[in-house]
Every structure is written in structure tokens, then in C-alpha cells.
Amino acid sequence: MVNLPTIDIIIPNYNKGKYLNECLDSVISQTFKKWKIYLIDDNSTDNSKEILKKYENIKNIEVIFLKENKGPSYCRNLGIKSSKSEYIAFLDSDDYWPENKLEIQMSKMVQQNYHFTYTDLNFFFKNDKNKMSTSNLPNFYNYDQFILSSTMSTSSIIIKKKILENIIFKNEKHEDYIFKCEILRKGAIAYKIN
């Protein structure tokens, strides 16, 4: 593996206790180990807090418990603000990654000098991992292409932090779509990593 920079992974969570272990364990078991998680719990009322306490002593996992529910935009923006790495990835707390995701995606980003990448994804139906469909996204998106077909999953993207200049998640519906649109509108190209 090339000498790759560290990456910060931002995970907002609200009442996804059912999926949290699988989500976090999928990061812990990555073949690429130079990561730090900022998990922002949005004042969950399920068993999330109990589950997260098991991970609090892992040095590269920082759990932030909010005292009131602020929404996913606030959580992701707090994660971006807390981040100290050159690269940022996002992972929703009810999603998980295959174990070589970060290694493959980061290696390709560094080799090709890409600043914004995404991957295809699998959708599972009613918690049945045998029933799934796989997306087959285009090899890249510019702004005009993206607004016509917007299936790039936030949990699949990695961004070089410097391209975010003054771009934040807005506190409105489809905040992640608007966030990606704003990055691409500034002239960035998003490249798919297989």
C-alpha cells in the first residue's frame, strides 16, 4: 500500500442502534488503518448510547453526544469542523463498508490526484442481505450530469477537505444532495472508484 494520508470519517446517528455495531465494526475491520471516526449522536432515544459507550475507549473513535436533537446537517457540519485530516468520508449509521473500501478508494484518489470520489453501492431489502440490488453509476459526474441523475450515496463519498471552502450541509430537506451539488457547481468533478 502506498503511504496514504489519514482520513476522518463522519458518522451522524439518530436512533440507529440496531445497525451501529455493524457500521462501526465495518470501519474497525478496514484494511486501511489510518482513520479517525467522529460519531455525533443526535440525542438518540433508543439503545444507541449504550452501544456507543463500548467504543468510547478506542483511541481513534471520538463519540460526541448532543444534548438536544439538531438534525443530520448539524451533525455532519460538527464532524467537518472537528476534522483535522486532509480527507473526509461520510458514513450513515445504518450503512456499512466492505473491508477494503478505504484502501482502494484512498489509493486511487492519491494516485490520480482526485479530490472527490464515490462508489457504487448495494441496497438491501427489509434486512435481507440475500435480496439486494446494486447501483451501476456513471464513471464521473460534473454538475450538469449530477442534477440529471443523483444517486451518489453520501456513505460512498470521500472528499479532499480543501474543496469544501465555505460549503456546509444546509438544514433543509435533501441536505446531502444540495451539499454535493454545491461542490460540483464550483467546478469539481466526482470520479467513481470501482
Side-chain angles (χ1 to χ4, degrees):
M1 189 187 329
V2 207
N3 189 19
L4 297 172
T6 58
I7 184 167
D8 287 335
I9 302 158
I10 297 164
I11 305 175
N13 177 65
Y14 179 66
N15 288 345
K16 300 289 191 221
K18 180 177 178 183
Y19 307 102
L20 267 177
N21 284 314
E22 190 168 27
C23 172
L24 290 168
D25 291 347
S26 81
V27 178
I28 291 167
S29 65
Q30 288 292 303
T31 54
F32 178 81
K33 299 295 184 191
K34 292 168 65 176
W35 50 262
K36 176 166 184 172
I37 289 174
Y38 291 92
L39 190 142
I40 299 89
D41 183 76
D42 201 11
N43 197 29
S44 293
T45 56
D46 67 352
N47 64 338
S48 291
K49 290 176 184 159
E50 294 164 35
I51 291 165
L52 291 172
K53 293 211 181 282
K54 294 189 301 193
Y55 295 91
E56 281 187 308
N57 294 326
I58 299 174
K59 68 173 182 150
N60 50 344
I61 297 179
E62 185 173 327
V63 179
I64 301 165
F65 292 104
L66 300 183
K67 291 189 173 27
E68 59 181 275
N69 185 270
K70 301 266 195 171
S73 293
Y74 181 90
C75 295
R76 288 190 183 115
N77 290 333
L78 180 58
I80 292 169
K81 191 175 172 185
S82 302
S83 168
K84 295 177 183 44
S85 293
E86 190 181 352
Y87 291 86
I88 293 176
F90 299 95
L91 179 59
D92 289 344
S93 55
D94 57 352
D95 292 340
Y96 69 93
W97 291 335
E99 66 179 13
N100 59 355
K101 184 245 202 259
L102 289 179
E103 182 178 351
I104 292 171
Q105 199 166 353
M106 284 294 292
S107 294
K108 191 64 117 175
M109 284 185 81
V110 170
Q111 287 167 5
Q112 300 295 327
N113 196 26
Y114 292 156
H115 293 174
F116 185 2
T117 63
Y118 60 96
T119 66
D120 283 321
L121 59 145
N122 293 321
F123 296 96
F124 299 109
F125 296 94
K126 296 185 180 173
N127 297 324
D128 184 351
K129 292 182 182 176
N130 296 317
K131 289 184 184 174
M132 75 171 139
S133 74
T134 303
S135 68
N136 188 15
L137 302 176
N139 290 328
F140 68 93
Y141 283 113
N142 61 26
Y143 176 73
D144 292 333
Q145 292 163 310
F146 184 70
I147 59 174
L148 296 176
S149 171
S150 58
T151 50
M152 183 196 312
S153 167
T154 303
S155 288
S156 82
I157 67 174
I158 297 179
I159 298 171
K160 198 163 189 179
K161 193 174 173 183
K162 73 177 187 180
I163 71 167
L164 292 182
E165 292 173 29
N166 302 320
I167 296 174
I168 62 169
F169 286 89
K170 306 238 183 316
N171 190 18
E172 51 192 73
K173 236 180 176 178
H174 309 297
E175 79 289 339
D176 52 345
Y177 172 74
I178 293 166
F179 176 78
K180 292 170 226 167
C181 282
E182 288 191 4
I183 295 170
L184 295 170
R185 190 182 295 138
K186 286 176 68 175
I189 305 279
Y191 294 95
K192 181 168 87 169
I193 307 296
N194 291 317

